[in-house]
């Protein structure tokens, strides 16, 4: 494992995710059923059969990861690489939202002492607003473990949005090898009218991309399925969509059950009936991506890093 992979593993563990390190790849459990390789925006080289092994070991149903070859499905990662990035890069409506707090908002780097003391309440309120189980970082002990980890490595940094001196939002980033990645973003819903997320996404990128040695700033990639509202927000903030290929692999035991078109059609129909209650059933797109990954892996391209799922017997 590289030192960065170890650092990423420790970060996601602090957030409450189970992490599995296999053959130089860091796999993070997300949701109830899936694994995701991190860094999530970078292609990983996975040995044949390695994804099947980690799925068997963890009992997870699916794994997603970026690949460098032509397998999988098209997606994008969101980047700012232009050192002249500024207000001219954002869309008009986004720029209008920035005007709401221009007399009261300050965006600046937070010292870890400030972050530990001020960002806990923001983090807890943001977690409630997102819904779902509360992460361990919403307890004082869990928050202190996260803060100790972040303060212990120079690559981590916190950028805060303050409204009349009160912290309204924060982005935690990690910079390695000239690339800066937003790792965690929280906004206090009490300050929603000031648009702290708009201020953070814009000023974070503008400040980081101008630093010597940094040649790229990212706020992640699309998932499966994409989230159009979030994608539109990032695009309006001036982040540029860069094409990637996103692979999905199902647990070997589940492939014969979930990959057939009839099964996917039935799940899609059921999810439509259940609406917001569909839960995991709603993500038929993940099954479609797994089928596309297996089909494209059978093509003539045999470049390095290809995932070749086991042949059914």
């Amino acid at each position: 494992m590289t030192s960065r992979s170890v650092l990423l593993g420790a970060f996601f563990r602090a957030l409450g995710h189970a992490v599995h390190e296999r053959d130089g790849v860091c796999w993070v459990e997300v949701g109830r059923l899936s694994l995701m390789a991190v860094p999530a925006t970078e292609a990983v080289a996975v040995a044949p059969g390695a994804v099947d092994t980690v799925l068997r070991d963890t009992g997870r149903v699916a794994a997603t990861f970026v690949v460098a070859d032509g397998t999988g499905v098209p997606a994008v990662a969101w980047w700012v690489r232009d050192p002249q990035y500024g207000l001219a890069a954002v869309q008009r409506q986004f720029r209008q939202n920035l005007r709401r707090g221009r007399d009261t908002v300050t965006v600046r780097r937070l010292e870890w002492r400030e972050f530990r003391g001020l960002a806990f309440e923001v983090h807890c309120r943001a977690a409630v607003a997102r819904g779902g189980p509360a992460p361990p970082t919403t307890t004082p002990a869990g928050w202190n473990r996260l803060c100790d980890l972040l303060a212990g490595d120079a690559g981590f940094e916190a950028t805060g949005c303050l409204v009349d001196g009160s912290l309204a939002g924060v982005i935690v980033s990690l910079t390695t090898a000239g690339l800066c990645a937003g790792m965690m973003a929280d906004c206090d819903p009490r300050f929603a009218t000031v648009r702290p997320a708009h201020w953070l996404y814009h000023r974070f990128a503008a400040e980081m991309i101008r630093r010597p040695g940094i040649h790229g700033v990212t706020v992640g990639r699309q998932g499966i399925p994409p989230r159009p509202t979030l994608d539109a927000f990032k695009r309006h903030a001036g982040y540029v969509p860069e094409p990637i290929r996103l692979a999905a692999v199902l647990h070997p035991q589940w492939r014969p059950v979930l990959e057939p078109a009839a099964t996917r059609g039935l799940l899609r129909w059921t999810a439509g009936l259940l609406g917001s209650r569909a839960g995991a059933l709603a993500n038929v797109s993940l099954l479609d991506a797994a089928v596309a990954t297996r089909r494209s892996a059978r093509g003539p391209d045999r470049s390095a890093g290809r995932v070749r799922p086991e042949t059914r017997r």
Side-chain angles (χ1 to χ4, degrees):
M1 296 293 293
T2 65
S3 58
R4 182 175 64 162
S5 294
V6 172
L7 195 61
L8 288 170
F11 174 79
F12 282 103
R13 286 190 185 97
L15 292 180
H17 298 275
V19 176
H20 310 275
E21 299 164 356
R22 298 287 192 281
D23 301 321
V25 179
C26 183
W27 297 97
V28 177
E29 293 189 6
V30 291
R32 292 175 295 176
L33 302 174
S34 299
L35 295 172
M36 175 182 69
V38 294
T41 57
E42 298 180 18
V44 297
V46 185
V51 183
D52 288 352
T53 298
V54 73
L55 287 170
R56 287 193 182 99
D57 290 347
T58 62
R60 291 271 149 163
V61 174
T64 60
F65 49 101
V66 176
V67 289
D69 57 24
T71 59
V73 295
V76 300
W78 298 98
W79 287 89
V80 168
R81 298 189 189 273
D82 182 1
Q84 301 305 312
Y85 167 86
L87 282 175
V90 309
Q91 293 197 5
R92 181 173 61 87
Q93 186 177 5
F94 193 97
R95 190 159 51 245
Q96 289 173 343
N97 278 303
L98 291 176
R99 292 176 182 153
R100 297 191 181 200
R102 58 185 175 185
D103 296 326
T104 59
V105 169
T106 302
V107 178
R108 62 172 176 84
R109 180 176 181 173
L110 298 178
E111 299 298 329
W112 290 120
R113 174 183 51 80
E114 291 182 286
F115 178 84
R116 188 187 298 264
L118 299 178
F120 179 58
E121 184 177 3
V122 174
H123 180 67
C124 292
R125 290 182 180 274
V128 171
R130 281 191 287 265
T137 44
T138 56
T139 68
W143 180 252
N144 284 327
R145 283 193 295 271
L146 174 64
C147 292
D148 290 343
L149 172 69
L150 298 176
D153 191 278
F156 284 116
E157 186 169 330
T159 302
C161 172
L162 296 97
V163 179
D164 288 329
S166 296
L167 188 65
V170 63
I171 287 180
V172 173
S173 60
L174 175 62
T175 300
T176 56
L179 300 177
C180 177
M183 301 293 294
M184 182 179 85
D186 288 323
C187 288
D188 189 330
R190 295 177 301 172
F191 296 92
T193 58
V194 187
R195 301 293 194 265
H198 290 70
W199 282 97
L200 280 170
Y201 272 71
H202 171 60
R203 294 307 308 164
F204 162 69
E207 294 293 333
M208 291 299 186
I209 197 60
R210 285 171 171 75
R211 290 191 184 177
I214 293 183
H215 53 268
V217 179
T218 182
V219 285
R221 60 158 171 81
Q222 289 178 317
I224 302 175
R227 297 168 58 187
T229 301
L230 181 59
D231 289 340
F233 176 83
K234 293 176 180 180
R235 184 173 60 253
H236 293 172
Y239 290 80
V240 177
E242 297 187 3
I244 57 173
R245 300 293 299 187
L246 192 55
V249 174
L250 297 181
H251 191 293
Q253 289 184 334
W254 284 101
R255 284 179 201 148
V257 178
L258 296 177
E259 287 190 349
T263 301
R264 288 180 282 132
L266 177 60
L267 291 174
R268 191 173 284 111
W269 177 78
T270 304
L273 287 180
L274 294 175
S276 61
R277 297 171 295 162
L281 290 177
N283 198 0
V284 183
S285 299
L286 181 61
L287 307 183
D288 295 337
V291 172
T293 299
R294 283 172 61 78
R295 285 176 179 168
S296 55
R298 299 188 189 111
D301 184 0
R302 291 291 183 260
S303 57
R306 168 67 49 82
V307 177
R308 301 170 191 165
E310 295 178 354
T311 302
R312 296 179 188 164
R313 292 185 172 89

